[in-house]
Amino acid sequence: MIFQTLISALALSTPLLVDACQSTVTKPPLLWLADLRSGNTDADSSVTLSKAGPGLRLIRFEQGAVPIPITPEEKLELEKSGLRYFDVTEDDLEAVLTQKISNGQYGGSRAIPSAPTHQSQVNPVIATLSQANLKTDLAALTSYKTRYYKSTTGATASKDLLKKLQSIAASAPGTGGKVTVTSFAHSWGMSSLIARIEGTNSAGAITIAGAHLDSINQSNPTSGTAPGADDNGSGCVNLIEGFRKLVAAGFKPTTPVEFHWYSGEEAGLLGSAAVAKSYSTSKKPINAYLNLDMTAWLQTGTTPQIGFVSDKTDSNLTAFTKKLVSTYRKPLFADTFVVANRRRSWYSVWCCGNG
């Protein structure tokens, strides 16, 4: 199971990156946008697109591209399209990275273990992992009509998960690292969540495991039904169970470990960008980032695989994570290339070392 590798990855501070996205658009994004503006589109014909006005958003379809201003109506159509993009209106991490490089703050390489060495710590925790807990947690997340980032039910889902995480933290035996759970507020109403297990070196670089909490119905983002069982309830419950069992085991890492659940990711990676920029501004050092997305999907008749994303990742860390899988699970790998996901928000911070 993916959450077993999660436990081992957190114990050893390495990133595992899995992500996916659905889009039926076959044309290049800029051409799609041009057609949308010219009226040659399959978008909802009841939507009237304005060329100017308040509330413009800045989006970027690819790294290095100049941000493009779009209207709120165009942004909604973009959400429906399933195209990959970054909403950089408030938090442009590419600009942050460029400035850090200019200031000579680009980080060096990380010391990566040659092989797993913490089996005596990891295996007892793996033995306590519960599929029943995963199902219960997933049932709770999918009970909302939608977890769309601007919806009231999305905001409620975040608040309810906050309470669950706080309850887990409160049950800590007191023998491990200090456990805290906080919400990270956003302007759109649905908060991101951060659970932290303090390390013996509280100022040390942070190892983060993250997943997006929001969901979306691409046919009707604002009010359509979107329980988001796999995308991304699956990644979220992996994190919940990992957090739950590490807390119960009295886990005390050398450096801090954090679990993040992001809001606004289906709208251009808004939540992770906001959190990452905040950490960069506060000069919080990042050791590694692990992203879990759609970890439960399996096509009937196929063999389960763990996908390792190749873009905007560290090849040495990925290679070590594959050793973790070989140690704790069957070595079933699928190397993939994905353009946009949560880890890209953290790449701008991680690669620049100590903030």
Side-chain angles (χ1 to χ4, degrees), residues 300-312:
T300 302
T302 61
T303 301
Q305 291 185 324
I306 296 176
F308 290 84
V309 180
S310 59
D311 74 308
K312 291 301 178 184

Side-chain angles (χ1 to χ4, degrees), residues 200-331:
T200 53
N201 176 12
S202 61
I206 307 166
T207 298
I208 303 171
H212 75 89
L213 178 60
D214 61 319
S215 65
I216 191 170
N217 180 320
Q218 287 179 199
S219 298
N220 185 0
T222 57
S223 58
T225 300
D230 191 26
D231 190 8
N232 183 36
S234 58
C236 288
V237 299
N238 288 160
L239 292 186
I240 295 169
E241 179 67 355
F243 175 62
R244 177 187 287 121
K245 296 306 184 179
L246 287 175
V247 168
F251 177 55
K252 191 167 188 177
T254 302
T255 57
V257 168
E258 293 186 354
F259 296 78
H260 292 189
W261 292 263
Y262 301 118
S263 165
E265 295 300 278
E266 299 285 16
L269 312 188
L270 293 171
S272 61
V275 176
K277 184 177 180 180
S278 172
Y279 278 41
S280 178
T281 300
S282 301
K283 300 187 183 303
K284 294 183 179 180
I286 306 302
N287 180 50
Y289 178 76
L290 179 158
N291 190 70
L292 298 182
D293 195 279
M294 298 179 71
T295 58
W297 187 84
L298 178 65
Q299 185 175 352
T300 302
T302 61
T303 301
Q305 291 185 324
I306 296 176
F308 290 84
V309 180
S310 59
D311 74 308
K312 291 301 178 184
T313 63
D314 183 275
S315 59
N316 292 325
L317 284 169
T318 300
F320 178 59
T321 306
K322 289 183 178 182
K323 293 180 181 179
L324 290 178
V325 177
S326 299
T327 299
Y328 297 104
R329 299 297 301 164
K330 294 180 180 179

Side-chain angles (χ1 to χ4, degrees), residues 164-175 179 243-245 247-250:
K164 176 178 289 188
L165 298 174
Q166 289 174 332
S167 177
I168 292 173
S171 68
T175 56
V179 183
F243 175 62
R244 177 187 287 121
K245 296 306 184 179
V247 168

Side-chain angles (χ1 to χ4, degrees), residues 165-190:
L165 298 174
Q166 289 174 332
S167 177
I168 292 173
S171 68
T175 56
K178 179 181 178 182
V179 183
T180 57
V181 178
T182 58
S183 60
F184 189 102
H186 302 292
S187 61
W188 51 87
M190 180 183 181

Side-chain angles (χ1 to χ4, degrees), residues 3-278:
F3 56 92
Q4 293 177 318
T5 303
L6 166 63
I7 295 296
S8 60
L10 290 177
L12 298 167
S13 301
T14 59
L16 173 66
L17 306 167
V18 181
D19 209 347
C21 183
Q22 302 295 322
S23 176
T24 58
V25 177
T26 57
K27 62 186 67 175
L30 289 177
L31 180 57
W32 172 87
L33 181 59
D35 285 349
L36 184 70
R37 288 176 170 175
S38 67
N40 180 22
T41 177
D42 294 328
D44 188 342
S45 60
S46 66
V47 176
T48 301
L49 302 179
S50 59
K51 297 298 186 288
L56 291 177
R57 307 295 298 179
L58 290 175
I59 61 99
R60 181 182 282 123
F61 285 116
E62 60 184 19
Q63 184 180 5
V66 175
I68 302 170
I70 63 174
T71 67
E73 294 87 359
E74 291 170 336
K75 174 68 183 296
L76 183 60
E77 292 301 316
L78 185 56
E79 291 176 10
K80 293 179 182 179
S81 74
L83 288 168
R84 305 180 191 280
Y85 67 97
F86 307 94
D87 186 328
V88 299
T89 309
E90 291 87 11
D91 303 297
D92 188 348
L93 294 180
E94 188 169 313
V96 171
L97 175 57
T98 300
Q99 185 61 50
K100 285 178 177 292
I101 294 175
S102 176
N103 294 340
Q105 295 175 302
Y106 193 87
S109 61
R110 304 298 196 274
I112 302 171
S114 59
T117 58
H118 292 257
Q119 288 89 330
S120 62
Q121 296 171 274
V122 173
N123 284 320
V125 180
I126 287 179
T128 68
L129 295 169
S130 166
Q131 288 193 9
N133 283 346
L134 294 176
K135 293 178 180 179
T136 298
D137 292 335
L138 188 59
L141 286 181
T142 57
S143 66
Y144 310 97
K145 180 181 179 181
T146 180
R147 298 191 305 277
Y148 183 63
Y149 77 115
K150 287 186 175 180
S151 68
T152 56
T153 49
T156 299
S158 176
K159 292 176 182 177
D160 290 346
L161 180 54
L162 176 65
K163 293 177 182 177
K164 176 178 289 188
L165 298 174
Q166 289 174 332
S167 177
I168 292 173
S171 68
T175 56
K178 179 181 178 182
V179 183
T180 57
V181 178
T182 58
S183 60
F184 189 102
H186 302 292
S187 61
W188 51 87
M190 180 183 181
S191 296
S192 295
L193 304 175
I194 300 171
R196 178 181 174 102
I197 301 178
E198 202 64 71
T200 53
N201 176 12
S202 61
I206 307 166
T207 298
I208 303 171
H212 75 89
L213 178 60
D214 61 319
S215 65
I216 191 170
N217 180 320
Q218 287 179 199
S219 298
N220 185 0
T222 57
S223 58
T225 300
D230 191 26
D231 190 8
N232 183 36
S234 58
C236 288
V237 299
N238 288 160
L239 292 186
I240 295 169
E241 179 67 355
F243 175 62
R244 177 187 287 121
K245 296 306 184 179
L246 287 175
V247 168
F251 177 55
K252 191 167 188 177
T254 302
T255 57
V257 168
E258 293 186 354
F259 296 78
H260 292 189
W261 292 263
Y262 301 118
S263 165
E265 295 300 278
E266 299 285 16
L269 312 188
L270 293 171
S272 61
V275 176
K277 184 177 180 180
S278 172

